[in-house]
Amino acid sequence: MEESIEKKDGTCQITISEDEMSVWLTLSSPVNGGEPVTLDQVNQLLAENDITVGINQLAVEQVVYLKLWDHQHLIATGIEPEPGRDGYIEYYFPTSQEIMPAVVGEDGKVDFRSLNLIHNVKKGDLLAERFPPVEGSAGQTVRGKLILASKPFSPVLLGGKDTTLEDSGVRLVAARDGHVALVDGKPTVNAVYSVRGDVNYSVGNIDFVGNVQISGDVKAGFTIISEGDVEIMGMVEAATITAKGNILVKNGVFGAGKCRLEAGGNVLARYIENATIRAGKDVIVNDSISRSNIKAGGKIKINNYSGDILGGHLEALDEISAGVFGSDLHVPTELELGIEPKFRSEYVALLNSYTEKKKNLMVLEGYITEYKNYRENKKEVSESYRHTIRERLRKYSSLRNELLSLEEKMRVFEEEFARLDRGTVKATQKVYPGVTVTIVKASYTVETDMTRTMFIYDKGEVKPAPLRG
């Protein structure tokens, strides 16, 4: 007696992604002469599941008519929202500057008259203008649910001292003649405080909201505080100068170990001797730096081709360059690139913590593996052992979360290291023994005379290389 063969029609199934932005169709093949799925059946299934947006009808027909059975096929996609455009503020004056003095003549001297530190404006001049945002357009899921576009940023135009807002906060103009600069993110007009002569007992200390210009010297023991730039035509002795902008000393700095200059921008001088310098951007010197402690957020550069750096400790983020480092007396000279000591110590502490927790995790993994082997081999274990394992599992989970958090923090540090390891130390003429170069995390001590050398960070080491160009 022959066994009857049952017919079985094909079936259709749709899969909808969690965000309802994609739909896949799967058709099963008919069995023993059963009926294949029809287009009407697929369309009915889509309707039953409220799929109304982004249906690719051609794709549906291809799957049905070409009998593309037993595989998923993308047949509908939602509409992504179109982002808008953020509003913005247009400033009609320089908001930042990279000061690179022009070197004139073969002796490498600097034309300080070309620095353009002062940005003068007249009363009524347009300083800044606010442009509104442009709204984006909403998207839709395959079920017709609206997806709102992210709201674009709408900036607020704020003015600082001696400025006036016009047109309901759209335009900002100067309320007086003076110098315009960004102070705490707001355009501010400041007058310039000028001293005809030296800063001495006849003048006293200076604390001013704008730019300061000194036609003479700054004598020992006096202090200048400026919220703008400080320009000194003479020299600086053992004085203290603090500026949110740049400090320019057209002669030089003779600090006698008691001079401190701090600038939010650049520090520029003919020479620096026995002083402490902090600059948010660059320290640019014409002739020499000797026995000084200098930190720069950008680079430290001697413009004169034969200018030297002798003694002291110098730190910069991007570059340290000079004609000569050290001297034939092997004076200790420390050159450091890449990161602040605090930043390095934080990374080392983070790395030590990660290493210790990783060791603890591996120990716990060993215990857990041992327990799994017992279970697989159906070995009897005591209740106290089970309790211990449960505690270890909880500790393992907590430790894994801690490691993930540490890995994220370390990734931030490593990204910063990757950005900083491109810095170089360049000597256009000579490097003497006694010079130590540190870049990011590694150091190199010079033991023999070197000519025209650059130091780079390569594969975790500081390496000397011939200076090109």
Side-chain angles (χ1 to χ4, degrees):
M1 180 176 178
E2 291 186 2
E3 187 177 338
S4 62
I5 300 176
E6 182 183 357
K7 292 183 181 181
K8 189 175 181 180
D9 294 341
T11 62
C12 61
Q13 178 184 352
I14 61 169
T15 303
I16 305 171
S17 62
E18 287 187 12
D19 60 2
E20 296 187 0
M21 293 298 286
S22 301
V23 179
W24 291 270
L25 173 65
T26 305
L27 301 185
S28 67
S29 57
V31 177
N32 299 326
E35 294 297 325
V37 174
T38 66
L39 184 61
D40 287 341
Q41 288 175 305
V42 174
N43 289 333
Q44 181 180 350
L45 182 61
L46 292 174
E48 289 172 354
N49 285 274
D50 298 323
I51 309 300
T52 59
V53 175
I55 299 173
N56 185 341
Q57 196 61 39
L58 178 60
V60 175
E61 292 174 2
Q62 285 179 335
V63 175
V64 173
Y65 295 140
L66 297 179
K67 300 179 180 180
L68 305 177
W69 297 331
D70 303 320
H71 292 285
Q72 279 193 341
H73 301 276
L74 182 66
I75 60 165
T77 54
I79 302 170
E80 295 287 348
E82 288 289 335
R85 187 194 69 196
D86 289 340
Y88 63 96
I89 295 174
E90 184 79 28
Y91 296 99
Y92 299 106
F93 61 92
T95 58
S96 63
Q97 56 186 349
E98 181 182 357
I99 294 181
M100 291 296 294
V103 179
V104 295
E106 295 181 357
D107 56 359
K109 289 194 178 294
V110 178
D111 180 10
F112 285 103
R113 294 171 297 182
S114 303
L115 294 175
N116 191 29
L117 295 177
I118 310 300
H119 307 298
N120 295 306
V121 293
K122 296 289 185 180
K123 181 179 179 179
D125 283 354
L126 180 62
L127 305 179
E129 189 172 5
R130 178 174 63 84
F131 291 87
V134 176
E135 297 290 338
S137 58
Q140 282 183 291
T141 69
V142 293
R143 284 175 166 157
K145 180 182 176 181
L146 282 179
I147 305 174
L148 298 179
S150 59
K151 193 169 182 62
F153 173 70
S154 182
V156 177
L157 179 56
L158 297 175
K161 181 176 177 289
D162 288 326
T163 63
T164 301
L165 278 170
E166 295 181 347
D167 301 332
S168 301
V170 173
R171 289 162 50 91
L172 185 73
V173 299
R176 62 168 295 167
D177 295 353
H179 165 77
V180 62
L182 280 182
V183 178
D184 296 329
K186 296 180 289 188
T188 302
V189 176
N190 294 316
V192 177
Y193 184 91
S194 298
V195 176
R196 296 183 179 180
D198 298 338
V199 175
N200 52 25
Y201 285 103
S202 66
V203 175
N205 294 329
I206 298 171
D207 188 345
F208 186 59
V209 295
N211 299 306
V212 177
Q213 292 181 332
I214 311 297
S215 64
D217 300 335
V218 180
K219 297 299 184 180
F222 289 91
T223 298
I224 297 175
I225 300 174
S226 167
E227 293 189 11
D229 303 316
V230 176
E231 187 175 6
I232 301 161
M233 307 301 173
M235 67 175 292
V236 176
E237 297 178 0
T240 299
I241 301 175
T242 303
K244 286 188 176 180
N246 307 291
I247 297 176
L248 166 63
V249 186
K250 288 194 173 180
N251 197 338
V253 178
F254 186 74
K258 298 179 180 180
C259 175
R260 185 178 183 89
L261 273 59
E262 293 190 18
N266 305 279
V267 173
L268 306 102
R270 181 181 168 189
Y271 64 86
I272 296 174
E273 182 176 335
N274 237 333
T276 298
I277 311 292
R278 300 290 182 268
K281 294 183 180 177
D282 301 337
V283 174
I284 301 175
V285 178
N286 186 57
D287 293 336
S288 66
I289 297 174
S290 62
R291 295 175 173 84
S292 295
N293 187 316
I294 298 178
K295 291 184 179 181
K299 56 180 169 289
I300 299 173
K301 181 179 181 182
I302 305 294
N303 270 322
N304 195 320
Y305 182 79
S306 59
D308 65 336
I309 292 176
L310 172 64
H313 183 98
L314 284 75
E315 296 181 26
L317 285 182
D318 300 325
E319 177 184 310
I320 301 177
S321 60
V324 178
F325 292 117
S327 75
D328 53 7
L329 297 177
H330 299 184
V331 177
T333 305
E334 299 176 354
L335 311 174
E336 187 170 342
L337 278 181
I339 53 178
E340 294 281 350
K342 182 181 177 182
F343 188 81
R344 179 183 291 107
S345 64
E346 288 175 356
Y347 175 74
V348 170
L350 203 63
L351 186 60
N352 289 339
S353 176
Y354 180 83
T355 302
E356 185 63 29
K357 290 180 185 297
K358 190 72 173 178
K359 288 179 181 177
N360 294 337
L361 188 75
M362 292 176 68
V363 171
L364 289 173
E365 285 177 347
Y367 288 134
I368 294 169
T369 300
E370 179 185 69
Y371 178 70
K372 286 180 179 179
N373 289 336
Y374 285 162
R375 293 292 301 273
E376 289 173 0
N377 294 322
K378 298 181 179 180
K379 290 184 177 181
E380 289 294 330
V381 293
S382 66
E383 184 57 37
S384 63
Y385 182 74
R386 288 195 183 93
H387 177 74
T388 302
I389 284 297
R390 284 194 291 269
E391 288 297 319
R392 286 169 176 170
L393 283 171
R394 279 194 288 271
K395 191 178 295 184
Y396 178 83
S397 177
S398 174
L399 204 53
R400 272 185 60 85
N401 290 333
E402 290 177 26
L403 284 170
L404 289 173
S405 176
L406 287 174
E407 285 171 359
E408 179 61 24
K409 292 178 181 178
M410 289 171 65
R411 183 185 63 78
V412 174
F413 277 87
E414 293 296 344
E415 287 177 355
E416 185 68 7
F417 290 151
R419 183 183 73 82
L420 298 172
D421 65 15
R422 293 188 292 272
T424 56
V425 173
K426 299 178 182 178
T428 56
Q429 289 196 24
K430 198 166 187 177
V431 184
Y432 287 97
V435 173
T436 301
V437 178
T438 301
I439 302 178
V440 183
K441 296 176 284 186
S443 297
Y444 182 94
T445 300
V446 178
E447 297 179 350
T448 59
D449 291 359
M450 298 179 174
T451 57
R452 288 189 56 77
T453 303
M454 63 188 293
F455 297 88
I456 59 174
Y457 186 78
D458 182 33
K459 297 178 181 178
E461 297 181 3
V462 177
K463 298 178 181 179
L467 184 62
R468 299 181 291 272

